[in-house]
Amino acid sequence: MSTLFLALVITAAQIILGLSMLCAAYRMLRGPRAQDRVLGLDALYLGAMLLLVTYGVQTGRTLYYEAALAIGLLGFAGTVALSKFLMRGEVIE
Amino acid sequence: MRRLLPFPLLTLALLVMWVLLTGFSPGHVVLGGLVAALVSRTMLSLEPEVTGFRPGLAVLRLAALVVADIVRSNIAVARIVLFRGVEHKSGFLHLPIELRNPYALAILAVIITATPGTLWVEHDARRHIILIHVLDLVDEEEWIQLIKHRYERLLMEIFE
Amino acid sequence: MHDPRLLLAVLSLPFLGAMIAAALPQAGRNWASAIAGSIAVAGVVLVAGFYPAVAAGEVIRSEASWLPSLGLQFTLRLDGFTWLFALMVLAIGSLVILYARYYMSPQDPVPRFFAFLQAFMGAMLGIVLSGNLIQLAFFWELTSLFSFLLIGYWHHNQGARDGARMALIVTGFGGVCMLIGFLLIGRITGSYDIDAVLAAGPVIRAHDAYLPALILILLGAFTKSAQFPFHFWLPHAMAAPTPVSAYLHSATMVKAGVFLLILLWPALSGTESWYLIVTAAGLATLLVGAWSAIFQQDLKGLLAYSTISHLGLITLLLGLGSPLAAVAAIFHTVNHATFKASLFMAAGIIDHETGTRDLRRLSGLAKFMPITATLAMVAAAAMAGVPLLNGFLSKEMFLAEALEAHSGTILDLVLPYLATLASGFSVFYSIRFINETFFGPAPVDLPRSPREAPRWMRLPMEILVLACLLVGIVPALTIGPFLALAVESVLGERTPSYSLAIWHGFSLPMLMSLAALVGGALAYRRFGRRLGTMDRSPVIGRLKARRTFEAVLATIVDAARLLHGWLGPHRLQVQLRLLIGTAVLLGALPFLFLGYSRGPEPVALIDPVFALIWMIGGLCAIGAAWQAKFHRLVALSLIGGAGLATSISFIWLSAPDLGLTQLLVEIVTLVLLLLGLRWLPLRRPAIWPEARMPLIVRLRRGQDLLIALAGGTGMAALAYAMMTRPTADSISRYFVENAYPKGGGTNVVNVILVDFRGFDTLGEITVLTIVALTVFTLLRRFRPAPESIELPHQQQRQNEFDRAEEDRSHGDTLAHYLFVPRIIMQWLFPVILTFAIYLLMRGHDLPGGGFAGGVTASIAILLLYMAGGTRWVESRLDILPLRWMSFGLLLATGTGMAAWIAGYPFLTSHFSYAAIPLIGDVPIASAWLFDIGVFAVVVGTTVLTLIALAHQSIRLPLRRKGSEEQASAPERSA
Amino acid sequence: MEIVLSLAIGVLTASGLWLLFRPRTFQVILGLSLLSYAVNLFIIAAGRLRTDAPPIVGKGPADPAAYADPLPQALVLTAIVISFATTALLVVVLMASRGLTGTDHVDGEDGEP
Amino acid sequence: MIQAPDLPVWAAIIVGLLLLGGAVVTLIGTLGLLRLKTFYERVHAPTLGTTLGSALVLAASMVCFTVLQSRPVAHELLIGLFVTLTTPVTLMLLARAAIYRDRSEGVLPVPPSSRVPPRDE
Amino acid sequence: MTGWLAHLIILPILLPLVASAMMLSLDERRRATKRALSLGAAALLIAVAAVLLWFVRESGPQAYRLGDWPSPFAITLVADRLSTMMLLLTSILGFTSLFYASARWDRSGPRFHALFLLLLMGINGAFLTGDIFNLFVFFEVLLAASYGLILHGAGTERTSASLHYITINIAASLLFLTGVALIYSVTGTLNMADLATRVSLTDSEDLALLESGAAILGVAFLVKAGIWPLCFWLPRTYAAASPPVAAVFAIMTKVGIYVILRLSFLLFGKDSGGAAGFANEVLLFAGLATMGFGILGILAARQLTRVAGHYVLVSSGILLAAIGIGGEALTAALLFYLVSSTLAVSALYLIIEPVERNADEEDIIDGIAEPVFDDEYVGAIEEEESEVGIVIPGTIAILGGGFIFCALLLAGLPPLSGFIAKFALIDALFSHVVIAPAHWIMIALIILSGLATMIAMTRAGIDRLWTPGEESPSRLSVIEVTPIGLLLGVCLLLMIAAGPVMDFMQATAAALYDPGGYIEAAGPAVSIPPESASPPIAGYRP
Ligand code: NA
Ligand code: NA
């Protein structure tokens, strides 16, 4: 019973997170400005990270944790680089 | 000890991180200690400025305050997003700031930005003015007071 | 004295001599000629020594193993005919060498000349002595090669270069055809051995492949012996020094073709095709050569065409197919060699002494060089077929054979007339040669004042002319036995009875001879004067074979260029379309034959989240494809989105290691591409507004879309077919079962990577190393495009602003911009490093590993670079990427090699427990050391690559100042 | 699931190929990136789809049927690394080519857009 | 569908609600990406997910694994910490870059009285 | 092979790897040390390859299971006649090219020696490996190194050419992976010998998938082999590379050929039916087309390097068409041709640079000369030039000699091995019971290629070496002459020792046709019973 409930709820949460990623993707695709798209990418990464955490809960495995942690700790590097490129035209000066 | 562990707090934090990652076992504490000690030494070559960090009750108060503010702001922003009817006027805000410690400023920046509805945009290190974007800028003065009273004072307590 | 092994000596001596000559100093004229001469004479002696054996009817063979598996022995073979031919090659060779000693100028680098000449002689002997067809072809091509070098000996002359090349191409072409013909013969007879082939004549002639083989072999023979229409190379070969002409065009090169025809005459002749082809070619050559010879103004040119004509005569005789004609052919071959060699020598002497060979300028030389004149007159008379000279005898036989009916075609009827006509031409040009050179008024305005040639230079000519006389007068006593021997060995049982008498009574041939002599003389009297004004021969001169040859070559080259351009597009896009198109086509073909079906396995229920993820991923991919042209940054982020979807898929599909690694690589790749993007030009808007896009572009895009869709559909279909099939009994079963018990790790993927298939990983880190080195190498010389040398416009503006404001200084904008991020990123550095080490250490049991750890550590460093800038980081951290790479590679390899000590193969892992107090047994696997090596290489390579890229920016200010400072910091720190 | 993954591979491939055929070097690089995603997923698909069966075995006897095929995963890891390396190289060659020829056209000459 | 872990009912309910809550908060945040009008408004949106959304989801995970492994599991805290530290960095850099871009194109999102950002053109 | 000798098989891979890894930590200025190290390694490679060849000839195929895992689970290296022959060829080319490079080419950019040795490692690995994915890895190693080497010395043409080269090869690598995935999905194995046994057991249901995989894989190899229409990058890339690099690249197309040979016989040997036949037809016709295209290219070439590049295509075409036709005799002949043509092209690339060094930057003068004199020979009279030969300076003499030898080798003329190779090929084509039209076409193309080469080479040679120029020829260093001489010497040796060499090739061809020995050495040992799980045992696995 509780597993079924949990399974449904987790799936629902995942779908919600997926939808939020879809919103982010929409911003990436539509822009209008580059900063909007980068913002979308950042949000996409966030959604992905949370999705991985829910997947860990769903499977009861801690194996996916590192991937989520990697996004949390390192995912910003990409967006930092993009932002810096927008601001300075150069990533490393 | 200073020579061996130039950044004891960092080392400790890394050790905690290691144990959190690996789970607690004597072997991992030893290994984590070794790794943390070694890795934290790399900070030596990066020559960070002295933090001036003084752990104390203020830290906890600040944390509690931030958590509360964040939850509140979450709700506020969610309302703005969900309900078109909610009036909001977003805008930029210049804020003179007395904090000088870079770490304090950094933490302030993180707090302001992490809180939904406010965003630290820039800090002018010469004029000591920060630029903030606020999603719901009803009363400029209120925001200025909020930040200066709630956060800046606590941060000054912790760092200066 | 007929040890067969001596044949090898005969063959190899000239080559030995060539090598010695080549090694002589340039001034070694006497040495070179002396050695060459003695070798040739030694050859004569050696060959002569075989006479008793050969005369006894023996075929001397000497065999050595060469290519037994393909039916090839290195065989030398000597019978009566080849004996005669070899002797002729060597004897005339000796005389030519003696002549050349005096002919060649002391300033000439003659050792080279004698080297080529002897090598050529060796090659010619090789043809004559070869005991199998392939070997014959081998030496055949060698004669082409050395004749090329000899003709081109004076290569500073354009004529020599062109003549040499033409001769090589024409005869080389023929040689290759001949080789194929031989291979066909080999297929028919089952052997390449000449004796076997000769014995298999009837089989060959009856075989289906006879005609192609015949044509191919004849192509070889005809090109070599300058038969019409391949005759044109020969006159141009006259650019060679005269001794070369005297040798190549009398006894050797051109005679190789004749030799081949005679050699294979018993096996190939006697069919209608043989008769028609060979006779027609011979007849045409005979007439064309003789006619053209009349109109030459150059002494050597006249002799060249006369040579062509006489070769045609011999070919014609061989074509007739009757034994008697063959006898005449063999006889005339020898005769022609003697008189033509002496005539070339005469021409050479005249040229040598007067400085010209122009018949119009020469005149009355008989007064100045009486001996030469006399000798030349005798030789020319032999050429014209005057009685009491050797040429007369063989020409009589020719005329007699021309009268015989052979085929019942029109040829039988016209042959006698045409033969007489050709003989008449021959008389004509012989008279012209003598008359215009030696008689008439004294010459005026010659480059040199004429005088008699040196004694030793005349000697070879004297010997040859003496031979002409002796053979002409007492044939039976001189040439008789040898000719008989040769004829016997060629014709065997078919040897006819013939007589070498001078006088056979009044016969029709005699009459024809007379008619030719008289007619030729009368014609010269009538037309001789007018020849000096003609610059080419009537009718034939219009054929312009040489120009045709050049034009054909040029056309071939032009056509090749055109076709090559069509068939070989150089554009990358076209090549990629072809590549993918081919792959799609070939990948789809099996399904066309065998049908496409999904497998029997049921599919899993669609996970809505997974579907959602791929809705996003697909949108991102399509969006990236759409945007990549004008919005590169956008496309880059969209690619990031697709990559993220891929990472999540990996995790969803039970591959946490992959998901993690893909995520990390994604981040580094993004930064990498951004680093590169800085150097790209701003994208201009489309050249054509959408509406006015040319049709060709639309079509091309449509085609691209089609291939892309086909590729996508194909991959999807393949994937679906694959996934719906039951699993194969995979080798990974073993990996799963043994990862822990034998590999000591619970993360099977990692155990595969560092242990089961650690060798792949070793290769993979090698690739990383190579790429990093390459990037580094390339960037040291990097030259940005002019417009990207300037700072990015953002920085220019910001710097300008900083300068303009009173209370700001240069760099403030950047400093303020990064103020907070720098602090955070700096303190994250140790945190990320710890995470990296964590990933490395847990890899064997859980997702992670050396690669993931290494990339993580690189990101830590990368963040420092982004936050602090290159100078800031490098003044603090001493990163030695090359050392990391070297250490990592050596550690990984060394770990693998350590297994050797215990006698196990490379990369056999070692596993043990270390007992540590308090903590207990800690497993220590060598695979872990290996993974550390991977970690080090990944850190080194990633950092080296990124730093090398980043360094371009700080090198710019230097460049802008015009300084050419090339050293870059990674190298210094390395 | 299979159909979703197949479609994903198909879309990635088609987009990647379209970019691969474009005339600008940067487009080509992005195309190759997309293609390598597609191929990596394809390799995973070769091991058949398994959800929630990561090949991390226990310390007891391991039943191969209970785990996703680890071999394709190992292969993809190698492939990821190699494609990362070649992408890096291509980026640098792109830069060099751009610097030397003055254009970012793949043929080093600005013809068609 | 993947079999969910076998938790006691109370834990299942807590975990479920936390997850749903986190997901919904995150979705609201990203909806902001769609609904808010300007970039400077939109830039606030993801923080919902990075703060409350993450917190709830991570809490769910913590509860779940603590119950499953019957010992306190807290490594999710690390994720929370890192996200909190790194997201601001991104947003700050991005917003500043956006301002620069807008100003250099003549759109002035900041009142001209300030002399902080560069005045271009 | 037992004892220490057993580890010899892996040395061709490890030796260059270790040497170059050691060089990485050496400073760029220590050039002499690096040279000594790399030349020493290259020389040692020849010795190792020779010993391996000798050993394999005596005792049959030898396998080396990496990590001591049982077959087919381990990555296996297999030394058999074919692979050791290719090893020997590679190490000879490697040594001569390195030797040549040390004249000056290794100075035109950093890390030349390391990259060069890693290239050798990749090539050797590709020849040795008995694992289809490991083959991919070694392909990548050799490709990556080749990218680096082409770019060595930089310059616009090099960069542009390598951009094409790299892009095409990355695309081909993706095809490679796709093919491997398909094959693995059907057979469940990566070990080539194991594949050979499993392919024959494949259900007809799965056959299409397997064949599609093999076809896609084949395209990847055909790109490497340089088959038309996937070969346009090749002449340009090779021409852009520096001479010693191009000289060692001569072996690169042969890697593709080697793999096609190896896999087609292992996977689609005599037992498999329709699909194999179809693949053979594709190979045959594509090979013929490649030959044709190569011939056109040779004729059309304006630079010698392009002649050489298109000759590479011709030789690829010949080899592929010959594989397509098949038959033991032809296979033996093609192996002989492979060796001979590779050496020839390598020598040519080495000699082109010194030959062209004297010439101006202009193209070869086109085929047609000014019609100074017509059909009728009147030239000698009008030529005012003295009839005294000019003294050829030593440089030109040596170059000319070398050049002529190269031309003869390529055109298939005596006295070097090219003649035997051509003869053996045509002889084998004629030895078929029925000579199909395709065989005739192939023979014609072989001949035409020889002629085209002769035309192009004489044109170039006369132009570069015989046409008097104002400048005095520059110096030619011994370091440049020696390797060329070595290569030509090997070709001469091939001619003289044609008998034993051809015997070896025939035995090699026979082994390809009956891969039992290979499969026995490298394939699955006995069925492995599932291990009972137990905690890891310390120490090396028993
Ligand atoms: Na905020
Ligand atoms: Na200022």
Side-chain angles (χ1 to χ4, degrees), chain F residues 319-352:
Chain F
L319 293 169
L320 290 171
I323 295 173
I325 292 174
E328 264 187 52
L330 190 57
T331 308
L334 82 85
L335 291 174
F336 190 97
Y337 175 78
L338 186 154
V339 173
S340 169
S341 66
T342 309
L343 291 168
V345 171
S346 187
L348 180 61
Y349 273 117
L350 291 185
I351 208 164
I352 287 175

Short mmCIF file of all heavy atoms in Angstrom, two decimals, chain F residues 319-352:
data_model
loop_
_atom_site.label_atom_id
_atom_site.label_comp_id
_atom_site.label_asym_id
_atom_site.label_seq_id
_atom_site.Cartn_x
_atom_site.Cartn_y
_atom_site.Cartn_z
N LEU F 319 44.27 -3.43 -53.53
CA LEU F 319 44.15 -4.36 -52.42
C LEU F 319 42.70 -4.72 -52.15
O LEU F 319 42.36 -5.89 -51.96
CB LEU F 319 44.79 -3.75 -51.17
CG LEU F 319 46.31 -3.57 -51.26
CD1 LEU F 319 46.84 -2.73 -50.12
CD2 LEU F 319 47.00 -4.94 -51.25
N LEU F 320 41.84 -3.70 -52.18
CA LEU F 320 40.44 -3.97 -51.87
C LEU F 320 39.79 -4.81 -52.96
O LEU F 320 39.04 -5.75 -52.67
CB LEU F 320 39.69 -2.66 -51.67
CG LEU F 320 40.09 -1.93 -50.40
CD1 LEU F 320 39.49 -0.54 -50.36
CD2 LEU F 320 39.67 -2.71 -49.17
N ALA F 321 40.08 -4.46 -54.20
CA ALA F 321 39.51 -5.25 -55.29
C ALA F 321 40.01 -6.68 -55.20
O ALA F 321 39.25 -7.63 -55.40
CB ALA F 321 39.89 -4.63 -56.63
N ALA F 322 41.28 -6.83 -54.85
CA ALA F 322 41.82 -8.19 -54.75
C ALA F 322 41.16 -8.94 -53.59
O ALA F 322 40.85 -10.13 -53.71
CB ALA F 322 43.33 -8.13 -54.53
N ILE F 323 40.90 -8.25 -52.50
CA ILE F 323 40.18 -8.90 -51.40
C ILE F 323 38.80 -9.32 -51.88
O ILE F 323 38.30 -10.40 -51.57
CB ILE F 323 40.07 -7.97 -50.18
CG1 ILE F 323 41.46 -7.67 -49.62
CG2 ILE F 323 39.20 -8.59 -49.10
CD1 ILE F 323 41.46 -6.63 -48.51
N GLY F 324 38.18 -8.40 -52.66
CA GLY F 324 36.85 -8.70 -53.16
C GLY F 324 36.83 -9.92 -54.05
O GLY F 324 35.91 -10.74 -53.99
N ILE F 325 37.85 -10.09 -54.86
CA ILE F 325 37.88 -11.24 -55.75
C ILE F 325 38.23 -12.50 -54.97
O ILE F 325 37.60 -13.54 -55.12
CB ILE F 325 38.89 -11.00 -56.89
CG1 ILE F 325 38.38 -9.89 -57.80
CG2 ILE F 325 39.10 -12.28 -57.70
CD1 ILE F 325 39.35 -9.47 -58.86
N GLY F 326 39.23 -12.39 -54.13
CA GLY F 326 39.56 -13.51 -53.24
C GLY F 326 40.36 -14.60 -53.92
O GLY F 326 40.81 -14.48 -55.06
N GLY F 327 40.54 -15.64 -53.22
CA GLY F 327 41.37 -16.75 -53.69
C GLY F 327 42.72 -16.69 -52.99
O GLY F 327 43.26 -15.61 -52.76
N GLU F 328 43.24 -17.84 -52.66
CA GLU F 328 44.47 -17.86 -51.88
C GLU F 328 45.64 -17.24 -52.62
O GLU F 328 46.41 -16.47 -52.06
CB GLU F 328 44.82 -19.30 -51.49
CG GLU F 328 44.32 -19.66 -50.10
CD GLU F 328 44.81 -21.01 -49.67
OE1 GLU F 328 46.03 -21.27 -49.72
OE2 GLU F 328 43.96 -21.81 -49.26
N ALA F 329 45.75 -17.59 -53.91
CA ALA F 329 46.89 -17.08 -54.67
C ALA F 329 46.84 -15.56 -54.74
O ALA F 329 47.85 -14.88 -54.52
CB ALA F 329 46.87 -17.66 -56.07
N LEU F 330 45.63 -15.04 -54.99
CA LEU F 330 45.51 -13.59 -55.11
C LEU F 330 45.75 -12.94 -53.75
O LEU F 330 46.35 -11.86 -53.67
CB LEU F 330 44.11 -13.23 -55.64
CG LEU F 330 43.94 -11.78 -56.03
CD1 LEU F 330 44.95 -11.37 -57.08
CD2 LEU F 330 42.53 -11.52 -56.54
N THR F 331 45.30 -13.58 -52.71
CA THR F 331 45.53 -13.01 -51.38
C THR F 331 47.02 -12.94 -51.09
O THR F 331 47.52 -11.93 -50.57
CB THR F 331 44.81 -13.84 -50.32
OG1 THR F 331 43.44 -13.98 -50.70
CG2 THR F 331 44.89 -13.19 -48.96
N ALA F 332 47.74 -14.02 -51.44
CA ALA F 332 49.18 -13.99 -51.23
C ALA F 332 49.81 -12.86 -52.04
O ALA F 332 50.65 -12.10 -51.54
CB ALA F 332 49.79 -15.33 -51.63
N ALA F 333 49.35 -12.73 -53.28
CA ALA F 333 49.90 -11.68 -54.13
C ALA F 333 49.61 -10.31 -53.56
O ALA F 333 50.46 -9.42 -53.57
CB ALA F 333 49.33 -11.81 -55.54
N LEU F 334 48.40 -10.15 -53.05
CA LEU F 334 48.05 -8.81 -52.55
C LEU F 334 48.85 -8.48 -51.30
O LEU F 334 49.19 -7.32 -51.07
CB LEU F 334 46.55 -8.68 -52.33
CG LEU F 334 45.84 -9.18 -51.08
CD1 LEU F 334 45.90 -8.15 -49.98
CD2 LEU F 334 44.39 -9.46 -51.40
N LEU F 335 49.18 -9.51 -50.53
CA LEU F 335 50.01 -9.25 -49.36
C LEU F 335 51.40 -8.79 -49.79
O LEU F 335 51.97 -7.86 -49.22
CB LEU F 335 50.12 -10.51 -48.49
CG LEU F 335 48.82 -10.90 -47.79
CD1 LEU F 335 48.99 -12.23 -47.07
CD2 LEU F 335 48.42 -9.82 -46.80
N PHE F 336 51.91 -9.45 -50.80
CA PHE F 336 53.23 -9.05 -51.30
C PHE F 336 53.16 -7.62 -51.82
O PHE F 336 54.02 -6.78 -51.52
CB PHE F 336 53.67 -10.00 -52.43
CG PHE F 336 55.09 -9.81 -52.85
CD1 PHE F 336 56.09 -10.62 -52.34
CD2 PHE F 336 55.45 -8.81 -53.75
CE1 PHE F 336 57.41 -10.44 -52.72
CE2 PHE F 336 56.76 -8.62 -54.12
CZ PHE F 336 57.74 -9.45 -53.60
N TYR F 337 52.09 -7.36 -52.56
CA TYR F 337 51.93 -6.02 -53.11
C TYR F 337 51.79 -4.99 -52.00
O TYR F 337 52.34 -3.88 -52.08
CB TYR F 337 50.71 -5.98 -54.02
CG TYR F 337 50.41 -4.60 -54.54
CD1 TYR F 337 51.14 -4.06 -55.58
CD2 TYR F 337 49.42 -3.82 -53.96
CE1 TYR F 337 50.90 -2.78 -56.04
CE2 TYR F 337 49.17 -2.54 -54.41
CZ TYR F 337 49.90 -2.02 -55.45
OH TYR F 337 49.67 -0.76 -55.89
N LEU F 338 51.06 -5.37 -50.97
CA LEU F 338 50.86 -4.47 -49.83
C LEU F 338 52.21 -4.03 -49.26
O LEU F 338 52.48 -2.84 -49.07
CB LEU F 338 50.03 -5.19 -48.78
CG LEU F 338 49.55 -4.43 -47.55
CD1 LEU F 338 48.29 -5.08 -47.03
CD2 LEU F 338 50.57 -4.39 -46.46
N VAL F 339 53.06 -5.00 -49.02
CA VAL F 339 54.36 -4.69 -48.44
C VAL F 339 55.16 -3.82 -49.40
O VAL F 339 55.68 -2.75 -49.03
CB VAL F 339 55.13 -6.00 -48.14
CG1 VAL F 339 56.54 -5.68 -47.69
CG2 VAL F 339 54.40 -6.79 -47.07
N SER F 340 55.21 -4.26 -50.63
CA SER F 340 56.04 -3.54 -51.60
C SER F 340 55.54 -2.12 -51.81
O SER F 340 56.32 -1.16 -51.79
CB SER F 340 56.04 -4.32 -52.91
OG SER F 340 56.60 -3.55 -53.92
N SER F 341 54.24 -1.95 -51.99
CA SER F 341 53.74 -0.61 -52.30
C SER F 341 53.87 0.30 -51.10
O SER F 341 54.12 1.50 -51.25
CB SER F 341 52.29 -0.69 -52.77
OG SER F 341 51.46 -1.11 -51.72
N THR F 342 53.72 -0.25 -49.93
CA THR F 342 53.86 0.59 -48.74
C THR F 342 55.28 1.14 -48.63
O THR F 342 55.48 2.33 -48.39
CB THR F 342 53.52 -0.22 -47.48
OG1 THR F 342 52.26 -0.84 -47.68
CG2 THR F 342 53.46 0.68 -46.27
N LEU F 343 56.23 0.25 -48.81
CA LEU F 343 57.63 0.69 -48.75
C LEU F 343 57.89 1.73 -49.83
O LEU F 343 58.56 2.74 -49.61
CB LEU F 343 58.56 -0.51 -48.95
CG LEU F 343 58.57 -1.52 -47.79
CD1 LEU F 343 59.28 -2.78 -48.23
CD2 LEU F 343 59.27 -0.93 -46.59
N ALA F 344 57.33 1.48 -51.02
CA ALA F 344 57.58 2.38 -52.14
C ALA F 344 57.05 3.77 -51.85
O ALA F 344 57.73 4.77 -52.04
CB ALA F 344 56.93 1.82 -53.39
N VAL F 345 55.79 3.83 -51.39
CA VAL F 345 55.19 5.14 -51.15
C VAL F 345 55.96 5.87 -50.05
O VAL F 345 56.21 7.08 -50.14
CB VAL F 345 53.71 4.98 -50.76
CG1 VAL F 345 53.16 6.30 -50.30
CG2 VAL F 345 52.93 4.47 -51.93
N SER F 346 56.35 5.11 -49.07
CA SER F 346 57.09 5.73 -47.98
C SER F 346 58.39 6.35 -48.49
O SER F 346 58.71 7.50 -48.19
CB SER F 346 57.37 4.68 -46.92
OG SER F 346 57.93 5.27 -45.79
N ALA F 347 59.11 5.58 -49.28
CA ALA F 347 60.37 6.08 -49.83
C ALA F 347 60.10 7.31 -50.70
O ALA F 347 60.85 8.29 -50.66
CB ALA F 347 61.05 5.00 -50.65
N LEU F 348 59.01 7.26 -51.45
CA LEU F 348 58.71 8.39 -52.33
C LEU F 348 58.47 9.65 -51.52
O LEU F 348 59.00 10.72 -51.83
CB LEU F 348 57.49 8.06 -53.19
CG LEU F 348 57.07 9.16 -54.14
CD1 LEU F 348 58.17 9.46 -55.12
CD2 LEU F 348 55.81 8.77 -54.91
N TYR F 349 57.67 9.53 -50.46
CA TYR F 349 57.40 10.71 -49.65
C TYR F 349 58.70 11.28 -49.08
O TYR F 349 58.85 12.49 -48.93
CB TYR F 349 56.43 10.40 -48.53
CG TYR F 349 54.99 10.53 -48.94
CD1 TYR F 349 54.13 9.45 -48.95
CD2 TYR F 349 54.48 11.76 -49.33
CE1 TYR F 349 52.81 9.57 -49.33
CE2 TYR F 349 53.16 11.90 -49.71
CZ TYR F 349 52.33 10.80 -49.70
OH TYR F 349 51.03 10.94 -50.09
N LEU F 350 59.61 10.39 -48.76
CA LEU F 350 60.87 10.88 -48.20
C LEU F 350 61.69 11.60 -49.25
O LEU F 350 62.38 12.57 -48.95
CB LEU F 350 61.68 9.73 -47.61
CG LEU F 350 61.10 9.08 -46.35
CD1 LEU F 350 62.07 8.05 -45.81
CD2 LEU F 350 60.81 10.12 -45.30
N ILE F 351 61.63 11.13 -50.46
CA ILE F 351 62.52 11.70 -51.47
C ILE F 351 61.93 12.94 -52.13
O ILE F 351 62.65 13.76 -52.69
CB ILE F 351 62.89 10.63 -52.52
CG1 ILE F 351 64.27 10.97 -53.09
CG2 ILE F 351 61.89 10.54 -53.63
CD1 ILE F 351 64.88 9.83 -53.82
N ILE F 352 60.62 13.08 -52.04
CA ILE F 352 60.01 14.21 -52.74
C ILE F 352 60.57 15.54 -52.24
O ILE F 352 60.92 16.41 -53.02
CB ILE F 352 58.48 14.19 -52.55
CG1 ILE F 352 57.87 13.08 -53.39
CG2 ILE F 352 57.87 15.52 -52.96
CD1 ILE F 352 56.40 12.90 -53.18
#
